[in-house]
Amino acid sequence: MKYGIDIGHNCPPADIGYVGIRKEDELNKEVGVCVMAKLKELKHEVVYCTPSYDSSLSNSLYRRINKANQENVDYFVSIHFNGGCGHGTEVFAISKLGKKIAKRVVDEIAKLGYVNRGVKDGNFLYLLKNTKMPAILVEGGFLDSIYDMEKYNVENIANAIVTGITTFEK
């Protein structure tokens, strides 16, 4: 399989993530790098879709989906962490297949002790609306939640994401 991996935000100066107890850019990168390495170990092809710099948020988002679409990846996965005084994990998707993959991922992350907030409709998300392949946006936990941040472990979350996206295809 060929996976397009987007490490959410991480595209200064225009596209930076939420700051809570931890910085979203840091956690997104830790988990994203680990996910890509694990997928490669499993002999999957990985396309890195995150631009390193952009002056506008809209162009940063466009470049991410354009990379995935041009590379004709099978699945697109955008990795994020949430903010806003909640708890738990949720995964956004639009397509029927995307929602099935999202369910596997959110259930795997919830097994780590996070509240399972379920699969959410991602029709409002540019990244999901504009990819040609099934796409998901993972919210691994809340950065402003002590409860969630105490559970954070890069290996565990990366394993959960990889298990969720690779087990489904079998």
Side-chain angles (χ1 to χ4, degrees):
M1 281 294 168
K2 188 175 186 180
Y3 291 92
I5 302 296
D6 171 42
I7 295 175
H9 305 291
N10 277 283
C11 188
D15 191 356
I16 57 172
Y18 187 84
V19 177
I21 297 167
R22 300 279 310 268
K23 292 180 180 178
E24 183 178 10
D25 278 358
E26 291 173 1
L27 270 60
N28 293 351
K29 191 167 192 173
E30 288 173 3
V31 172
V33 167
C34 195
V35 165
M36 290 188 292
K38 290 175 183 299
L39 287 170
K40 289 176 183 176
E41 286 173 14
L42 294 171
K43 307 297 184 212
H44 294 289
E45 189 174 346
V46 175
V47 175
Y48 181 58
C49 297
T50 309
S52 60
Y53 171 88
D54 215 303
S55 59
S56 78
L57 174 61
S58 59
N59 199 51
S60 167
L61 296 173
Y62 169 77
R63 289 174 62 198
R64 294 163 197 266
I65 60 100
N66 192 49
K67 179 75 170 179
N69 288 339
Q70 283 183 340
E71 294 283 339
N72 199 29
V73 301
D74 297 305
Y75 299 116
F76 179 80
V77 180
S78 187
I79 298 169
H80 293 261
F81 283 80
N82 227 333
C85 301
H87 299 287
T89 182
E90 58 195 11
V91 180
F92 291 85
I94 295 175
S95 70
K96 185 176 180 179
L97 182 54
K99 288 178 181 178
K100 287 180 181 178
I101 297 165
K103 173 91 168 87
R104 292 277 313 152
V105 171
V106 78
D107 289 349
E108 288 296 323
I109 296 173
K111 287 178 185 177
L112 302 173
Y114 291 87
V115 172
N116 190 336
R117 296 168 58 97
V119 176
K120 307 288 184 182
D121 185 354
N123 276 315
F124 66 98
L125 294 168
Y126 182 87
L127 291 173
L128 302 184
K129 290 191 307 185
N130 292 285
T131 48
K132 296 176 182 175
M133 70 292 303
I136 63 172
L137 187 145
V138 178
E139 295 282 6
F142 279 78
L143 295 162
D144 49 7
S145 165
I146 292 171
Y147 179 81
D148 285 1
M149 289 299 96
E150 285 176 346
K151 287 178 182 44
Y152 173 76
N153 176 291
V154 64
E155 287 286 326
N156 292 344
I157 292 183
N159 283 333
I161 292 169
V162 170
T163 298
I165 64 179
T166 60
T167 302
F168 177 77
E169 70 196 28
K170 293 178 181 175

